[in-house]
Amino acid sequence: MCDLITGKVAWDGCLPGVVRRSFASGVASLRSFPATSIQPHGMPAFTIASATIKKRYACMYSRSMTCTAPPTRDCPDFNPFPPLPIYCLAPPPPPRAAQAIRVRVGELMDAAGQAGVNIVCLQEAYHMPFAFCTREKQWCEFAESAESGESVRQCQAAARKWGMVVVCPILERDAAHGDVVWNTAVVIGNNGNVIGKHRKNHIPRVGDFNESTYYMEGNTGHPVFDTVFGKLAVNICYGRHIPLNWQAFAMNGAEIIFNPAATVGELSEPLWGQEARTAAIANSVFACGINRVGTETFPNEFTSGDGKPAHKSFGHFYGSSYVAAPDGSRTPGLARQKDGLMVAQLDLNLCRQTKDKWGFQMTARYEMYADFFARYVKPDFTPQVVRDPSM
């Protein structure tokens, strides 16, 4: 089990293989999953974490207890970091709301630091409600600088405090280019320095996801950030549906690709457990899916692109964050309805070992596909279809 109060971590359970991976579920519940422990080959296993946080803005909420006795560490529902109640009937002003969220996320990052985590990735736009369904522009007040915003500074402080790399997804305000807003992930080094940033490549236009009201497709390409703990990339949310997006990050040298997301059960849950896992296999990388958890209700009704009646909620963000390995194995997912912190140990040697075993990159025929795509993007492209002459 993982004691997230003291940072003492003890693992049990083992399977034969070529990579060491340990994982546990914590923060909202101290129940732990059995760990997988496999011997590494010459390179230290790095520890990463993904954190999700449940938020509700329309009413006060409290956690439920199944134990009749006062909560203690022996109680399965004991929560060392109880949810932060918000006593309001409407969303609080952006500065207050963002600060309340940062307090909770700070607790999660401290828990990760106490557990010895080397890299932590937060959920998409972690510092705000995922209000991009509403089309209301007041939510742009949550946007901040990717270099000096309060959320970025919080992650820098955590990075310095614990010596870990932090992936900090925010709504970015680009003051140098007309105050344009972007969906951005800032990568912070283990010394608290900003290494760089990536802006979301693919913007959804499905169901309640009206994100292009706020920001458009990013312009940063497929950067890979070379950190002291490994080479990582950030495939933000909807980009996980695009196989070439994963592939481009991997071709640039990524060993770990994080997918910070905000997605709801009715739309995407059948896909969630498959996409990061298949991307990990196809690209010989570790892929980490991080999803928001909980239900966010907004004051005003909004409509969807799917013809539903006007409503006030996106639906349930189902959490279920997990880590997938290049060999197709994966951790269990975090809870669907509770805050959580997934801690996993990764042996990055498995990336190269899998490449050597399967030869996907060696046999990829990139020149053939490059020629095909060069023809496909032209207006006069003709599909290569061989018609049955007897038809």
Side-chain angles (χ1 to χ4, degrees), residues 153-218:
R153 293 202 303 271
Q154 177 191 29
C155 292
Q156 287 180 294
R160 284 189 292 267
K161 179 178 180 180
W162 298 108
M164 61 188 180
V165 172
V166 180
V167 180
C168 172
I170 62 167
L171 189 67
E172 178 194 0
R173 174 77 69 182
D174 185 2
H177 296 90
D179 284 336
V180 171
V181 172
W182 304 93
N183 186 321
T184 299
V186 181
V187 178
I188 297 166
N190 63 306
N191 295 315
N193 56 304
V194 173
I195 299 175
K197 64 187 177 186
H198 172 61
R199 292 167 173 162
K200 187 172 182 176
N201 278 335
H202 298 276
I203 307 302
R205 295 166 178 85
V206 56
D208 287 342
F209 288 83
N210 301 309
E211 295 176 46
S212 56
T213 303
Y214 303 88
Y215 46 78
M216 298 300 288
E217 287 77 8

Side-chain angles (χ1 to χ4, degrees), residues 55-205:
K55 300 182 292 293
R56 186 172 297 175
Y57 294 88
C59 61
M60 186 187 81
Y61 71 94
S62 62
R63 63 192 177 97
S64 61
M65 298 295 298
T66 58
C67 295
T68 56
T72 67
R73 191 155 307 181
D74 297 325
C75 170
D77 285 302
F78 171 65
N79 185 352
F81 302 114
L84 182 69
I86 299 177
Y87 299 87
C88 57
L89 297 178
R96 280 176 42 210
Q99 182 56 31
I101 294 167
R102 283 192 287 265
V103 168
R104 177 67 174 136
V105 171
E107 295 169 343
L108 289 165
M109 288 196 288
D110 282 344
Q114 291 167 10
V117 163
N118 301 121
I119 305 172
V120 63
C121 182
L122 304 177
Q123 66 196 24
E124 182 183 17
Y126 90 88
H127 63 308
M128 63 178 293
F130 206 77
F132 309 124
C133 51
T134 67
R135 302 188 187 94
E136 296 171 345
K137 290 303 183 76
Q138 69 263 27
W139 301 105
C140 291
E141 292 301 310
F142 281 89
E144 61 181 68
S145 167
E147 289 74 35
S148 59
E150 288 189 49
S151 302
V152 175
R153 293 202 303 271
Q154 177 191 29
C155 292
Q156 287 180 294
R160 284 189 292 267
K161 179 178 180 180
W162 298 108
M164 61 188 180
V165 172
V166 180
V167 180
C168 172
I170 62 167
L171 189 67
E172 178 194 0
R173 174 77 69 182
D174 185 2
H177 296 90
D179 284 336
V180 171
V181 172
W182 304 93
N183 186 321
T184 299
V186 181
V187 178
I188 297 166
N190 63 306
N191 295 315
N193 56 304
V194 173
I195 299 175
K197 64 187 177 186
H198 172 61
R199 292 167 173 162
K200 187 172 182 176
N201 278 335
H202 298 276
I203 307 302
R205 295 166 178 85

Side-chain angles (χ1 to χ4, degrees), residues 43 46 118-119 164-167 186-191 193-198 222-234 249 252-256 258 348:
M43 184 175 180
F46 294 122
N118 301 121
I119 305 172
M164 61 188 180
V165 172
V166 180
V167 180
V186 181
V187 178
I188 297 166
N190 63 306
N191 295 315
N193 56 304
V194 173
I195 299 175
K197 64 187 177 186
H198 172 61
H222 295 85
V224 171
F225 303 94
D226 191 1
T227 77
V228 68
F229 299 119
K231 296 179 180 177
L232 65 90
V234 191
F249 288 120
N252 274 333
E255 297 166 305
I256 308 168
F258 291 98
L348 300 184

